[in-house]
């Protein structure tokens, strides 16, 4: 398999509030979608007679995703708008995570001309707002992945 060099230009992040596969793009991503990586729990299984400690791996934490979207305070009148979607997801509690889809654009020739779709489930754990004098208004968002992230 040859390495397909890809750039982040044109990535989209979408969600289905109904829990299915009818994804709607979640705002305009400003700069990046960052995943800090997965992490396995390490359990100390040493006993008193062991000179060297011994470890086993336990469960795997799928991690978190951080991103920023363009923020428009007036964009909250219906569930189809970005702020309303984020507010709905952030206000939801329980075990049911929302299905997300990250779409990475196709690679121009000589690469493959197909987009890569990455599906995962997550909870919206943080939504903020950044307002600076001479910069675009943005909303930083944090997702907590649930289950196998698929990447």
């Amino acid at each position: 398999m040859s390495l397909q060099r890809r750039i982040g230009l044109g990535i989209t992040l979408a969600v289905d509030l109904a829990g299915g596969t009818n994804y709607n793009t979640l705002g305009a991503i400003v700069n990046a979608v960052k995943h800090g990586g997965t992490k396995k729990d390490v359990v100390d299984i040493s006993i008193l007679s062991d000179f060297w400690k011994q470890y086993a791996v336990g469960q795997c934490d799928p991690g978190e995703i951080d991103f920023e979207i363009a923020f428009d305070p007036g964009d909250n009148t219906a569930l189809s708008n970005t702020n309303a979607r984020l507010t709905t997801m952030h206000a939801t509690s329980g075990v049911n995570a929302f299905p997300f889809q990250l779409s990475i654009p196709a690679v121009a020739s000589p690469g493959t001309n197909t987009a890569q779709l990455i599906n995962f489930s997550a909870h919206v754990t943080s939504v903020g707002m950044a307002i600076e004098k001479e910069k675009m208004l943005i909303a930083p968002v944090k997702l907590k992945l649930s289950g196998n992230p698929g990447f």
Side-chain angles (χ1 to χ4, degrees), residues 11-14 33 100-104 116-120:
I11 62 170
T12 60
L13 185 63
V33 175
F100 285 85
Q101 185 174 73
L102 183 63
S103 177
I104 303 171
Q116 296 295 308
L117 302 176
I118 300 171
N119 298 315
F120 58 92

Side-chain angles (χ1 to χ4, degrees), residues 71-113:
F71 177 63
D72 176 3
D75 183 22
N76 61 1
T77 57
L79 278 180
S80 62
N81 293 327
T82 300
N83 294 348
R85 284 190 200 129
L86 288 170
T87 300
T88 298
M89 289 184 292
H90 193 257
T92 301
S93 61
V95 298
N96 295 327
F98 289 96
F100 285 85
Q101 185 174 73
L102 183 63
S103 177
I104 303 171
V107 177
S109 182
T112 58
N113 199 20

